[in-house]
Amino acid sequence: TYAYNLLITACSKNGKYDDATLLFQEMQEEGLEPDRVTYNLMLSVYGVMGPWHRVTGLFDEMENRGIRPDEYTYDTLISACRRDSLCGEAIHIFNEMKAVGCKPDRVTDNSLLDLYGKSGHGDEALNTLQEMEKNGYLPNTVSYNTLISAYGRAGLYCEAIALKDTMLEKGIRPDVFTYSSLLSGCEKAGRPGKAMEIFKEMKDAGCTPNLCTYNSLIVMYGKKGEFEEMMKVFDEFRSNGYTPDIVTWNAMLSVFGQNGMHVELSQVFKEMKAAGFVPNRETFTTLICAYSRCGSVEQAMEIYSAMLKSGLCPDLSTYNAVLTALSREGLWRQAEKVLIEMRGGCCKPN
RNA sequence: UUUCCUAUCGCUGG
């Protein structure tokens, strides 16, 4: 069991969730009993894979086997609520946690903080922060970064920067998460100049940029239409020993789509595949939208077919991208068919 | 420290 737990941990850390699930089955076929750690691991895996009922199903199974949940279990469950913004569920779990004698700690609070931030409940997030201070759990780097991310998402980049300054005042060192989050926040708010200031501050503070940081910069330059600068970033991080990841590729596809650069778009997609990357759901959605913006519904729909053939399930964004692509060309009848398809699937049109 | 929390990519208007 210990060995399997190690293997499942490795798969989970590398995003190989299907492999983790297979290992979980395999160990039981071999007659090994999953323990609390195994269940905690798998709850986390199901949490990112969804759907939610799979998570609760596993939790029930765990209790039926007489394995008592611990703090890790509850923290994992609360964290899993983020996927579908299940704030009510999270509160419920939080209460159960206390009722069975597990003590919520700073990780629990940070998980709640993130859930509220990501689901647009800024007021609740601030309440949680105050609760933390009242309960003697001082906010740490993760707490601040979580809030900075929430502000950035809400377009409140000034507040985000102010919070970073608060960190400095309190002697909490901003890290690469802090700066990357701020970069993206400024970019989303349409303040690339501010973003560059942050990037400079980051380097002056001796904080080393990583792939996430570079990906943010690529998006920023791409949206500004500064492709030479964008490619410079691309080359720079490669020479620093980083390899583009799927986010980098998706970002470049998105940028060329937004600028209607059909040739470059196809070229980058080719390079991405040549580099051995398998398109994920976001890649497909990006491509559908990108080809449509380049004026090629045909290619957009080919991509959609390829996605279905690959076994990936379209989500709301995918369907909306397809609907947009068809509508741009006035293909109403096809669009209506997709809308029906959507209702038949797991997606409610918004 | 075999398990929990934070950053980077996708859909809509003009």
Side-chain angles (χ1 to χ4, degrees):
Chain A
T1 300
Y2 188 97
Y4 270 100
N5 287 345
L6 273 173
L7 288 171
I8 293 173
T9 305
C11 289
S12 161
K13 286 211 193 311
N14 290 293
K16 309 243 177 230
Y17 304 118
D18 289 329
D19 291 341
T21 308
L22 286 175
L23 283 167
F24 182 53
Q25 281 168 10
E26 191 182 303
M27 73 183 284
Q28 295 180 77
E29 280 160 18
E30 288 188 13
L32 293 171
E33 287 281 327
D35 62 8
R36 178 154 53 202
V37 171
T38 320
Y39 276 106
N40 288 345
L41 276 166
M42 291 312 299
L43 285 171
S44 163
V45 167
Y46 287 175
V48 296
M49 290 203 309
W52 172 248
H53 65 76
R54 229 177 142 193
V55 177
T56 52
L58 192 67
F59 181 62
D60 292 342
E61 182 185 310
M62 177 179 181
E63 293 206 297
N64 290 338
R65 292 208 181 178
I67 299 174
R68 303 236 44 93
D70 63 1
E71 282 81 0
Y72 281 98
T73 316
Y74 287 110
D75 287 344
T76 304
L77 285 173
I78 290 173
S79 165
C81 290
R82 258 179 324 179
R83 203 188 124 89
D84 300 307
S85 295
L86 303 169
C87 295
E89 285 295 338
I91 299 285
H92 178 78
I93 294 162
F94 185 60
N95 289 331
E96 179 178 323
M97 179 177 187
K98 288 185 284 195
V100 300
C102 285
K103 209 169 153 32
D105 62 5
R106 191 157 57 188
V107 172
T108 318
D109 287 328
N110 284 343
S111 303
L112 282 170
L113 213 56
D114 190 42
L115 172 68
Y116 289 134
K118 291 217 163 52
S119 57
H121 293 79
D123 43 341
E124 293 296 337
L126 287 175
N127 278 342
T128 305
L129 190 72
Q130 283 161 6
E131 283 290 310
M132 277 177 91
E133 298 193 300
K134 222 169 62 190
N135 295 333
Y137 292 119
L138 291 184
N140 62 5
T141 314
V142 173
S143 320
Y144 278 104
N145 288 347
T146 304
L147 280 173
I148 287 173
S149 158
Y151 277 131
R153 190 165 288 106
L156 304 169
Y157 74 96
C158 290
E159 286 80 352
I161 292 173
L163 215 46
K164 181 260 304 166
D165 293 331
T166 306
M167 287 175 84
L168 289 169
E169 282 162 23
K170 299 209 175 186
I172 301 174
R173 203 189 185 88
D175 62 7
V176 66
F177 280 68
T178 319
Y179 288 115
S180 301
S181 190
L182 285 172
L183 276 181
S184 167
C186 292
E187 182 275 310
K188 283 199 171 63
R191 307 301 300 258
K194 271 272 176 249
M196 289 318 293
E197 282 175 32
I198 296 290
F199 187 51
K200 183 177 182 307
E201 180 179 328
M202 174 180 186
K203 288 190 292 189
D204 290 346
C207 182
T208 311
N210 66 10
L211 195 49
C212 287
T213 321
Y214 287 119
N215 286 340
S216 301
L217 289 175
I218 286 178
V219 170
M220 189 184 78
Y221 284 124
K223 285 198 184 155
K224 285 208 292 180
E226 296 181 2
F227 306 112
E228 324 72 30
E229 286 298 322
M230 183 179 88
M231 295 316 291
K232 224 193 264 176
V233 174
F234 192 69
D235 293 335
E236 182 188 321
F237 80 71
R238 279 173 136 171
S239 63
N240 283 349
Y242 289 107
T243 324
D245 66 359
I246 189 139
V247 172
T248 317
W249 291 108
N250 288 348
M252 305 246 286
L253 293 173
S254 171
V255 161
F256 288 130
Q258 280 171 36
N259 291 282
M261 298 164 74
H262 202 160
V263 176
E264 290 82 355
L265 173 63
S266 300
Q267 179 62 30
V268 168
F269 185 38
K270 220 164 76 185
E271 281 178 36
M272 174 183 181
K273 287 186 290 191
F277 282 91
V278 179
N280 61 14
R281 194 186 353 236
E282 293 189 352
T283 313
F284 282 117
T285 306
T286 303
L287 283 170
I288 291 167
C289 180
Y291 278 119
S292 157
R293 283 179 168 143
C294 289
S296 177
V297 235
E298 298 79 14
Q299 286 180 91
M301 295 310 286
E302 274 168 27
I303 294 289
Y304 179 52
S305 306
M307 176 177 187
L308 297 178
K309 227 165 70 188
S310 78
L312 278 178
C313 206
D315 68 2
L316 184 59
S317 294
T318 317
Y319 281 121
N320 284 340
V322 172
L323 289 174
T324 305
L326 292 170
S327 307
R328 279 199 181 111
E329 303 301 317
L331 300 168
W332 312 113
R333 304 200 67 85
Q334 281 195 63
E336 278 172 3
K337 261 192 240 159
V338 172
L339 199 63
I340 291 166
E341 223 174 285
M342 207 172 159
R343 293 213 182 87
C346 48
C347 279
K348 291 267 159 291
N350 65 0

